[in-house]
Amino acid sequence: MAKRLRAAAGWARTHLFAGPWDALVTLALAALLAAALPPLLRWALWQAQWSGDAAGCRAAGGACWAFIGEKARFILFGLYPPAEQWRAALAVGLFLAMAGYSAARFRLPAAGWALTAAACGGLLAGGVAGLPAVPATQWGGLPLTLLLTVLGLAGAFPLALLLALGRRSRLPVLRALCAGYVELVRGVPLVSVLFMASVMLPLLLPGGVVIDKLVRAQLAIVLFVAAYMAEAVRGGLQAVPEGQDEAASALGLRWWQRQRYVVLPQALRVALPALVGIAIGTFKDTSLVVVIGLFDLMTSARAALADPRWLGFSAEAYLFTGTLYFVLAYALSRYGRALEARLAAGEGE
Amino acid sequence: MPRLRLRCDRRCLRALAAQALLLAAVAGVLAWLAGNAGAKLAQQGIASGFGFLGKEAAFAISEHPIAYSPADSYARALTVGVLNTLKVALPALLFATVLGTLAGIAQLGRNWLAARLARGYVEAVRNVPLLLQLFFWYGLLTELLPLPRQAWSPLPGVFLSRRGLMLPAPAGEGWGTLLAAAALGLAAALALRAAYGRVRRGGGALAALLLAPPLAAWLATAGTRAWSVPALQGFNYVGGTTLSPEFAALLLGLTLYAGSYIAEIVRAGILAVPRGQVEAGLALGLSRAQVLRLIVLPQALRAIVPPLASQYLSLVKNSSLAVAIGYPDVVSISNTAINQTGQAVEGIAIIMAAYLSVSLAVAALMNLYNRRVALRGATR
């Protein structure tokens, strides 16, 4: 016992009170925690209401988790018909399971993903296998956020490859066009690109052609993300030694073959951690579609708050939604770290 | 002397043709889009060009650093928007740098408690969308704070309520003179330092140069300076200056979010300094603080400045999320202008021009600074 105490004191001396400044910092932080934690815990746990109605919540004075219990389904799935929400839940579950499997194996099985995409699409849209059809205007919540993220990344990737290769091309016109696009898009905020897609795109198309708002937002995200991804890929391309391309050229490979078999596989490996970072950013940035009124996770949380029976519980709604975002983004960032470590160890094959 | 010959073989001809084709295709698509837009705008009877900038804006703006009324022109409304963007982005930039540097250093320090707290802050804030954080802070500020009548007054003349933070504001011309005098003193002191290098002895002269002009102005303008103190009249406060809840939520959200990214940049920069440098510094008898200030940070800065510059740029761009919580920044005001005039193309062009110029200015400044901290010869 005394030995344990001595060890603890020793640990505290080196880790908390190593000098006068350290001690001061420790004491200040401890005081801050002591002041902030008890009221916070009281609010979140002891005085919280776990069931009941808004009046009960207001009387208790703590967090109103009953509000989340009441609204969780709405926040998660938005306007999707309640009787069919199991389909949206199943689609999200399928997608997450497939993503988890791919992450654990460090590979993207093409057939598996094609199957998953088809299954998720079928589940969400319906109209097949006896499932009633649900139009895209009723999709919402987490499934929509994931859809915008995944399609945004998948659509941006090929475009980013072309932009990155184009920016390193020998043809000056192509180089200037690609560089101009990337710098222009990176210079403006996503909000303005989304506004542009919702206001200007209809103007730019010939009369009579109408594109759904969801598709327009998706297009804006693709065009925006592609610019950032192109820079990550370009960084990877710069890390591939010149000799690789020359050697491939000496072997008689054509330009496309050299890129496909020699340069890009090496470049993408270097760019992978940056690409994971962009994926996390895209996932978070889809929340911006709130400004053009698409019903994603962020919008459905806001809509739940607008219920006149449950006014004034914004902290609870945002903590709940924020936790959802956090869990997925944090998992992705852990995956990025693992990937980096694996690549550093040189066993990515 | 060999004659310069312009020769173009088949490959070169093919490259030229391909580029000409590409340029024609891009120009064709752009012309097609522009033609469509022109036809639709004409059909809807919407004017084009920037003539609307001179017209009356006819909408109110809740906060304006310069005088503004709905009778003013669109150009002035947009200027207010740009100033509002700068008003929130520049302080956020400063605070986020300080917070990020502290959190970055704390994560690597010996203090266990500080390291844990810094790590928790960085992970929690980085993995949640900024927009959600803005909504959270805005909700907290507008729901938890008391109504204006029951405002909380921590100091005389300072009131905190759902309407925002009301502060006493300087009033009268004397303040302008004082500010000009202080600027003069600072400029003179900087000029002296630049002329004589780092002054070792003449510290007194430097201080005198710095302080004399504002002190003289302080005494001279005593009669023309006053404070405008906020006071409750009816349902709202009159006088003083107000920091709106929108501004406060945006400033807080941007600072915390950018701070978490800057913390990671600082951490990575410090980790890039070889461990031997610290050990050598300690072996020379420097204190830990001295090692950090004199040895680690100058070297870490080289790795920190380039990503920091792009973080600053994204902070400025992220300030456009103001539109979601109703802070009148340049995007929000351009949006109102677009809705009123229908001139979407011009409105978007103005937003892009505003952000591109701010981005270019920040990038230029950071490049300048980078050249100072980078290894000699490394940037040339």
Side-chain angles (χ1 to χ4, degrees):
Chain A
M1 189 65 205
K3 210 169 154 192
R4 279 244 182 106
L5 257 178
R6 233 191 343 265
W11 182 89
R13 190 153 51 239
T14 51
H15 290 84
L16 295 174
F17 302 100
W21 283 108
D22 256 339
L24 208 66
V25 167
T26 303
L27 288 180
L29 289 175
L32 203 71
L33 282 179
L37 272 186
L40 214 61
L41 287 176
R42 202 157 51 227
W43 177 82
L45 298 173
W46 288 297
Q47 288 182 355
Q49 279 292 98
W50 299 88
S51 60
D53 59 0
C57 275
R58 290 206 183 85
C64 185
W65 301 122
F67 168 67
I68 299 301
E70 173 92 7
K71 295 288 182 189
R73 277 174 71 138
F74 180 74
I75 292 177
L76 278 171
F77 303 115
L79 300 174
Y80 208 81
E84 308 291 328
Q85 278 173 4
W86 62 270
R87 284 159 49 183
L90 191 59
V92 170
L94 256 176
F95 168 78
L96 291 179
M98 193 64 202
Y101 173 81
S102 308
R105 293 291 183 90
F106 288 102
R107 59 189 52 192
L108 285 173
W113 273 105
L115 222 65
T116 311
C120 289
L123 277 170
L124 275 179
V128 287
L131 297 171
V134 178
T137 45
Q138 291 183 10
W139 299 1
L142 187 59
L144 188 66
T145 291
L146 291 175
L147 186 80
L148 286 170
T149 309
V150 172
L151 289 186
L153 291 170
F157 186 64
L159 192 56
L161 286 187
L162 293 179
L163 283 170
L165 289 173
R167 209 172 165 176
R168 286 167 56 86
S169 161
R170 273 197 318 258
L171 309 180
V173 172
L174 182 61
R175 211 162 51 217
L177 282 175
C178 291
Y181 175 81
V182 168
E183 293 307 331
L184 185 72
V185 172
R186 275 162 29 103
V188 297
L190 176 56
V191 169
S192 69
V193 180
L194 282 170
F195 277 136
M196 196 148 108
S198 78
V199 181
M200 245 171 90
L201 204 60
L203 286 178
L204 296 176
L205 294 171
V209 180
V210 182
I211 301 187
D212 183 63
K213 191 158 76 174
L214 178 61
V215 180
R216 276 183 273 153
Q218 186 71 74
L219 205 63
I221 291 175
V222 166
L223 293 176
F224 184 78
V225 173
Y228 286 82
M229 237 186 216
E231 284 299 274
V233 174
R234 189 165 72 103
L237 286 172
Q238 279 174 352
V240 179
E242 195 99 323
Q244 294 285 327
D245 191 49
E246 285 161 6
S249 194
L251 286 175
L253 295 182
R254 312 285 307 248
W255 187 85
W256 282 108
Q257 290 174 320
R258 295 203 301 273
Q259 307 306 323
R260 166 82 181 74
Y261 296 110
V262 178
V263 178
L264 277 178
Q266 299 182 60
L268 289 180
R269 227 173 124 171
V270 177
L272 255 180
L275 290 175
V276 172
I278 289 173
I280 298 174
T282 308
F283 172 62
K284 289 188 293 172
D285 280 348
T286 55
S287 61
L288 265 60
V289 297
V290 90
V291 298
I292 57 168
L294 272 186
F295 228 89
D296 78 321
L297 189 55
M298 188 74 243
T299 315
S300 62
R302 306 259 303 152
L305 284 172
D307 185 340
R309 284 175 305 154
W310 295 89
L311 285 179
F313 301 115
S314 70
E316 290 86 340
Y318 292 136
L319 283 176
F320 174 68
T321 319
T323 309
L324 283 176
Y325 275 110
F326 176 83
V327 168
L328 290 171
Y330 187 69
L332 210 58
S333 78
R334 297 305 307 194
Y335 172 65
R337 293 248 171 108
L339 201 64
E340 231 167 307
R342 199 179 152 89
L343 290 177
E347 41 175 72
E349 294 311 312
Chain B
M1 193 177 153
R3 248 181 50 212
L4 184 71
R5 282 194 305 183
L6 278 175
R7 269 191 54 198
C8 203
D9 60 5
R10 263 179 61 195
R11 251 184 77 180
C12 145
L13 274 177
R14 232 180 44 208
L16 275 181
Q19 295 187 69
L21 215 65
L22 180 72
L23 209 57
V26 170
V29 169
L30 287 179
W32 180 69
L33 294 174
N36 286 335
K40 279 208 180 153
L41 289 174
Q43 200 184 350
Q44 293 169 13
I46 292 171
S48 63
F50 288 92
F52 76 97
L53 284 177
K55 292 198 192 123
E56 186 186 313
F59 61 87
I61 301 176
S62 57
E63 45 193 301
H64 37 84
I66 53 172
Y68 171 85
S69 78
D72 282 320
S73 66
Y74 277 110
R76 193 162 179 94
L78 288 164
T79 312
V80 169
V82 172
L83 289 177
N84 274 338
T85 293
L86 293 177
K87 184 176 118 184
V88 73
L90 295 181
L93 224 132
L94 186 72
F95 295 149
T97 308
V98 174
L99 178 67
T101 308
L102 289 178
I105 293 174
Q107 282 182 68
L108 297 171
R110 283 178 305 178
N111 193 316
W112 180 85
L113 189 61
R116 290 284 119 173
L117 282 178
R119 190 79 218 135
Y121 151 67
V122 168
E123 289 292 358
V125 168
R126 259 165 70 93
N127 286 311
V128 173
L130 171 61
L131 186 63
L132 192 141
Q133 297 182 37
L134 292 181
F135 282 140
F136 178 76
W137 294 122
Y138 186 59
L140 224 55
L141 287 178
T142 47
E143 277 173 21
L144 283 191
L145 290 178
L147 292 167
R149 277 179 175 282
Q150 290 101 39
W152 184 52
S153 181
L155 290 169
V158 177
F159 300 94
L160 190 63
S161 74
R162 280 180 204 190
R163 294 281 166 77
L165 181 65
M166 324 288 167
L167 295 166
E173 291 123 52
W175 292 102
T177 319
L178 188 64
L179 205 66
L184 188 75
L186 188 66
L190 283 178
L192 184 76
R193 227 190 89 164
Y196 289 97
R198 190 164 284 211
V199 186
R200 293 233 178 261
R201 286 246 179 104
L206 210 62
L209 214 51
L210 191 65
L211 293 179
L215 208 66
W218 179 270
L219 295 172
T221 62
T224 57
R225 274 182 292 112
W227 288 94
S228 154
V229 180
L232 191 65
Q233 266 183 25
F235 289 106
N236 218 338
Y237 283 86
V238 182
T241 184
T242 306
L243 292 181
S244 68
E246 291 84 13
F247 174 82
L250 193 61
L251 182 61
L252 187 64
L254 282 175
T255 301
L256 289 176
Y257 191 73
S260 73
Y261 277 86
I262 292 174
E264 284 299 88
I265 294 171
V266 169
R267 191 173 78 103
I270 291 176
L271 283 177
V273 177
R275 176 104 196 105
Q277 295 280 330
V278 178
E279 283 159 5
L282 289 174
L284 285 175
L286 298 178
S287 75
R288 288 188 80 90
Q290 280 176 320
V291 169
L292 186 68
R293 192 166 58 85
L294 298 172
I295 295 180
V296 177
L297 281 184
Q299 297 187 67
L301 271 180
R302 283 176 205 138
I304 288 173
V305 169
L308 190 63
S310 66
Q311 195 49 50
Y312 282 174
L313 295 184
S314 59
L315 189 154
V316 173
K317 282 181 276 167
N318 278 336
S319 72
S320 65
L321 295 187
V323 68
I325 55 170
Y327 177 74
D329 79 322
V330 63
V331 172
S332 150
I333 287 176
S334 304
N335 234 15
T336 312
I338 291 173
N339 286 336
Q340 287 191 357
T341 61
Q343 293 192 264
V345 186
E346 291 82 353
I348 303 260
I350 287 170
I351 295 179
M352 290 192 160
Y355 279 99
L356 283 177
S357 44
V358 172
S359 295
L360 285 177
V362 173
L365 280 177
M366 289 305 282
N367 277 340
L368 217 65
Y369 184 62
N370 190 31
R371 208 164 303 160
R372 270 191 55 181
V373 300
L375 276 178
R376 296 280 170 267
T379 49
R380 256 157 255 159

